[in-house]
Amino acid sequence: MNASFEDLYNKLNSSQKRAVDEIYGPVMVIAGPGTGKTQILAARILNILQKTDALPSNILCLTYTEAGAAAMHQRLSQFMGSDAYKVNVHTFHGLCNRVIQENPQRFSKRELRVMDDLERVQLIQDIIDELPSDSPIKSYSENPVHLRRSLKQLWDIMQGEQLNPTQINSWVEALKDHETYKTAFPDEVYKRRSGNFMPGDLKLPKYETKHENWQRLIQASQLFSRYQSLKQERGVYEFADMIDWVVEAWAEGGDLLLDYKEQFHFVLVDEYQDTSGQQNQLLFSLIEDDDE
């Protein structure tokens, strides 16, 4: 370990040192942008290696982007040299890709290929074309690029947060109640008397517009399963699908999850506030105590 770690440590303030000194978790660092959270993460990795018997390969650090993973390895290499690249620094997708590649016998989907942007556009358009002409989604006056983008954004949220059409429909039904709607959208309530409307009355035109959009939302959510099945039919997948595959495989229990639990003694996550429900499920599977 390069002695300059002490120089790095001495530059930290008391709160930062507290986060670095806490070897065993859980530890959460909450701070604003530009306050050195990633630097603390690197310092904590270095301190773990100094204060415990853990090897670099026993540490897993999950980052938000591939660029972040590369930057973390580069930062660690200033103190550890080439051993820095023995620390497992991955994005969530990168970790899942590694699990899949290391266990080909458990993942029959390995023969699929990553879907490119053009294939994605065509696949979504094919789903739109399948809809009847009176579908609330299908509007020939709407910009098709905007429609495809909106559908993909919704499906990404559903997959990332593990939402299903039933949940979305129940939320829509709840919002149809005027009092619930007022609580959710306080700016769409009259604050003072306006013509025949009194303070507290609902601004009905905005409510009705949202009501129309909710019907589109419900049908769009119901198309997510078609989107997933069509990808499978065409032999393609997206990065988020890899997380689903690993989450499902780990949920089955057995040696697969245990092997990675035994390998990763310390798990750290950069930019944790940006993790999705899907990513959290993966993380919690890895760190959950089997005795609890």
Side-chain angles (χ1 to χ4, degrees):
M1 187 76 67
N2 193 310
S4 61
F5 167 70
E6 296 302 326
D7 295 332
L8 171 64
Y9 182 81
N10 291 332
K11 292 178 182 177
L12 303 177
N13 61 38
S14 58
S15 295
Q16 292 172 328
K17 287 179 179 178
R18 181 183 175 191
V20 172
D21 290 337
E22 192 70 31
I23 299 296
Y24 298 100
V27 175
M28 180 178 287
V29 176
I30 302 175
T35 54
K37 296 188 296 296
T38 303
Q39 182 179 5
I40 293 172
L41 196 62
R44 192 158 182 263
I45 291 172
L46 295 167
N47 199 38
I48 289 171
L49 292 172
Q50 287 195 125
K51 300 289 180 61
T52 74
D53 294 331
L55 300 173
S57 59
N58 295 139
I59 296 177
L60 171 64
C61 178
L62 294 167
T63 65
Y64 193 61
T65 64
E66 292 289 353
M72 179 61 70
H73 269 141
Q74 185 176 20
R75 185 171 301 191
L76 291 173
S77 69
Q78 298 173 2
F79 303 93
M80 300 172 58
S82 60
D83 280 348
Y85 294 90
K86 296 179 183 178
V87 177
N88 300 281
V89 185
H90 300 290
T91 62
F92 280 90
H93 300 131
L95 171 64
C96 291
N97 184 56
R98 170 180 166 177
V99 173
I100 292 168
Q101 295 300 321
E102 290 178 345
N103 302 274
Q105 72 284 358
R106 297 293 297 269
F107 296 93
S108 60
K109 302 176 181 66
R110 61 187 182 277
E111 72 276 3
L112 303 179
R113 56 183 175 78
V114 178
M115 181 167 59
D116 63 35
D117 292 339
L118 183 59
E119 288 175 310
R120 181 179 298 108
V121 168
Q122 186 59 59
L123 191 150
I124 296 174
Q125 188 59 51
D126 289 345
I127 293 174
I128 295 171
D129 292 341
E130 292 175 354
L131 298 173
S133 59
D134 60 349
S135 165
I137 292 176
K138 200 168 188 178
S139 172
Y140 293 104
S141 62
E142 183 168 13
N143 185 324
V145 175
H146 175 73
L147 177 56
R148 290 193 296 264
R149 184 183 298 119
S150 297
L151 288 172
K152 186 63 174 71
Q153 288 173 344
L154 171 63
W155 297 337
D156 285 346
I157 292 172
M158 290 181 66
Q159 185 164 18
E161 300 304 330
Q162 299 175 310
L163 302 175
N164 59 56
T166 301
Q167 291 171 297
I168 293 175
N169 186 69
S170 67
W171 295 338
V172 169
E173 289 299 319
L175 285 171
K176 288 181 180 179
D177 176 75
H178 284 192
E179 294 306 315
T180 303
Y181 182 89
K182 290 177 184 179
T183 302
F185 301 98
D187 292 338
E188 298 185 11
V189 176
Y190 286 100
K191 303 297 188 297
R192 62 187 66 181
R193 183 168 181 174
S194 177
N196 295 326
F197 297 102
M198 303 298 292
D201 285 348
L202 200 61
K203 296 179 179 179
L204 288 176
K206 292 188 175 182
Y207 171 84
E208 290 168 357
T209 297
K210 279 191 170 60
H211 189 276
E212 293 175 2
N213 291 334
W214 293 337
Q215 303 312 308
R216 292 159 59 92
L217 171 64
I218 291 172
Q219 185 175 27
S221 70
Q222 293 169 345
L223 295 174
F224 177 60
S225 60
R226 175 58 177 157
Y227 178 69
Q228 292 293 79
S229 64
L230 201 53
K231 282 192 294 183
Q232 186 172 2
E233 289 176 20
R234 299 185 182 184
V236 296
Y237 70 94
E238 297 173 282
F239 290 134
D241 295 324
M242 292 192 297
I243 299 181
D244 281 340
W245 299 340
V246 175
V247 166
E248 291 170 4
W250 281 359
E252 295 173 0
D255 293 340
L256 182 63
L257 176 57
L258 183 60
D259 288 344
Y260 288 98
K261 282 188 172 185
E262 290 181 343
Q263 178 181 352
F264 301 135
H265 301 176
F266 295 90
V267 180
L268 304 94
V269 184
D270 196 16
E271 304 292 352
Y272 178 74
Q273 75 279 357
D274 292 323
T275 56
S276 66
Q278 179 196 47
Q279 292 168 335
N280 271 322
Q281 185 171 351
L282 182 84
L283 178 63
F284 294 159
S285 296
L286 193 59
I287 66 176
E288 186 178 26
D289 188 345
D290 294 330
D291 294 330
E292 294 183 353

